Amino acid sequence: MKIIFMGTPDFAVPTLQRIIDDGHNVAAVFTQPDKPKGRGYKLAPPPVKELALKYDLPVHQPTKMRDGTVLNLIKDYNPDLIVVVAYGRILPKDILDFPKYGCINGHASILPKYRGAGPIQWAVINGEKESGVTAMQMAEGLDTGNMLHTITTPIGENETYGELHDRLAPICADVIAETIEKIQNGDLHPVKQDDSLSCYAPMLDKKIAELDFTKSAEELHHLICGLSPWPVAFTHYNGKLLKIHRAVMAKGSGKNPGELLDNKKMIVACGNGALEFTEVQLEGSKRMSARDFIMGRHPEKGIIFGA
């Protein structure tokens, strides 16, 4: 099948690789423009571009999608299908409608839940028991197209957003590969999304990252997992910002939310229950285990984090 692939970050790389490995004709790859990176702010290509160049595939990095230029390019390539995974741009209707089999998207949630830019993070933050990837026929709405194929996976008790992200990327490749196979075999059965079951997953905002210890330990645990590795949940210790990269549920309770209950294990009281911080990073220092933090800082039992 002749395919145009559109994607940008690491998450999209396994899907492009799978399409190539399956022997499809990748006519071209569309990705976001190179961006400054590192101390020298040198322009760095997106991960998808790096893979495309490895296989000598034509690469396009348009800054506009609605002026007709991209549509004309697509008409020249005349693909049977456009596959989109984490591209980062909205496709206009004339592009969506052009290919013989339209455009399909690999979205990292069990649709219709978690439409939007942050589906993996919000699934973890909200304490969902499972996540997955859904292939859908792209439509003009935000992740509202008919569902074509879904693969689900459990979310681990202490699994972070970053870990789930890395597990879902190859699952997305499987979902797209199996969807393409169904298209080729004429075995596709689109299912309309039930809008009443939908919810929106916006991009993360650093404003939600500060821990409010009046909330339950369970709620804060999900938040810490969902914000790792970015933007990372935080509190304050002796007037300095303290990032909490990892934590686990712990036994214990205290009179004051944020109170350090055990300075040997860094167990902190919450509005209901307690959390044990396991990986932290104090402002101006490197990321370290809670054990190393305790040995170096010797926090006193009874101090209040965030105060």
Side-chain angles (χ1 to χ4, degrees), residues 242-305:
L242 179 68
K243 291 183 177 181
I244 313 300
H245 290 275
R246 284 184 179 273
V248 295
M249 298 289 289
K251 293 181 179 179
S253 61
K255 294 180 180 179
N256 301 305
E259 178 185 350
L260 183 62
L261 302 177
D262 186 337
N263 61 353
K264 294 181 180 180
K265 285 190 174 182
M266 216 166 178
I267 295 176
V268 181
C270 302
N272 181 18
L275 282 177
E276 179 185 347
F277 299 160
T278 56
E279 286 188 41
V280 299
Q281 184 176 4
L282 189 64
E283 184 179 338
S285 300
K286 65 180 182 179
R287 179 173 174 173
M288 65 184 71
S289 68
R291 172 181 162 81
D292 288 343
F293 178 86
I294 289 168
M295 291 178 65
R297 300 284 172 174
H298 306 290
E300 294 184 7
K301 184 177 178 180
I303 66 164
I304 306 296
F305 286 98

Side-chain angles (χ1 to χ4, degrees), residues 16-307:
L16 176 56
Q17 184 68 64
R18 179 66 178 273
I19 291 170
I20 294 169
D21 292 344
D22 285 351
H24 296 292
N25 174 13
V26 181
V29 171
F30 285 72
T31 189
Q32 294 273 32
D34 297 359
K35 290 185 177 180
K37 193 175 182 181
R39 292 185 178 181
Y41 291 98
K42 292 183 179 179
L43 288 177
V48 163
K49 179 181 178 179
E50 291 181 326
L51 180 61
L53 294 178
K54 177 182 175 182
Y55 287 93
D56 295 322
L57 299 174
V59 175
H60 300 280
Q61 297 173 278
T63 57
K64 297 179 180 179
M65 300 298 291
R66 298 180 180 276
D67 62 359
T69 304
V70 173
L71 177 61
N72 289 332
L73 272 173
I74 290 171
K75 287 180 177 179
D76 289 341
Y77 286 116
N78 194 28
D80 298 309
L81 176 71
I82 294 177
V83 174
V84 181
V85 177
Y87 179 34
R89 292 192 179 278
I90 296 174
L91 305 187
K93 190 175 187 302
D94 51 9
I95 292 177
L96 295 175
D97 293 343
F98 180 77
K100 178 180 179 181
Y101 298 108
C103 301
I104 63 172
N105 172 245
H107 184 72
S109 82
I110 305 172
L111 288 172
K113 296 184 73 173
Y114 299 108
R115 297 170 177 172
I120 306 174
Q121 297 97 317
W122 285 104
V124 176
I125 290 170
N126 290 339
E128 298 287 354
K129 300 301 182 184
E130 65 176 359
S131 182
V133 178
T134 304
M136 65 178 170
Q137 192 81 45
M138 294 181 70
E140 286 189 274
L142 180 64
D143 301 326
T144 57
N146 290 341
M147 298 177 292
L148 307 175
H149 185 43
T150 302
I151 296 178
T152 64
T153 183
I155 299 175
E157 180 183 355
N158 297 309
E159 190 167 23
T160 66
Y161 148 62
E163 291 166 341
L164 181 57
H165 169 281
D166 292 348
R167 285 205 302 114
L168 288 178
I171 290 176
C172 183
D174 290 341
V175 167
I176 293 298
E178 291 169 17
T179 302
I180 293 173
E181 185 178 357
K182 288 183 178 184
I183 292 173
Q184 290 178 309
N185 295 336
D187 190 30
L188 205 60
H189 304 285
V191 176
K192 184 177 175 60
Q193 293 190 42
D194 184 346
D195 291 340
S196 68
L197 301 177
S198 70
C199 59
Y200 180 57
M203 286 181 116
L204 289 184
D205 188 319
K206 290 183 180 180
K207 293 178 181 178
I208 71 168
E210 184 167 10
L211 297 176
D212 176 0
F213 292 104
T214 63
K215 295 182 178 180
S216 72
E218 183 178 19
E219 187 174 353
L220 294 182
H221 176 244
H222 293 321
L223 182 65
I224 291 167
C225 290
L227 299 183
S228 179
W230 188 93
V232 186
F234 70 90
T235 185
H236 290 87
Y237 169 77
N238 284 348
K240 288 188 175 183
L241 187 144
L242 179 68
K243 291 183 177 181
I244 313 300
H245 290 275
R246 284 184 179 273
V248 295
M249 298 289 289
K251 293 181 179 179
S253 61
K255 294 180 180 179
N256 301 305
E259 178 185 350
L260 183 62
L261 302 177
D262 186 337
N263 61 353
K264 294 181 180 180
K265 285 190 174 182
M266 216 166 178
I267 295 176
V268 181
C270 302
N272 181 18
L275 282 177
E276 179 185 347
F277 299 160
T278 56
E279 286 188 41
V280 299
Q281 184 176 4
L282 189 64
E283 184 179 338
S285 300
K286 65 180 182 179
R287 179 173 174 173
M288 65 184 71
S289 68
R291 172 181 162 81
D292 288 343
F293 178 86
I294 289 168
M295 291 178 65
R297 300 284 172 174
H298 306 290
E300 294 184 7
K301 184 177 178 180
I303 66 164
I304 306 296
F305 286 98

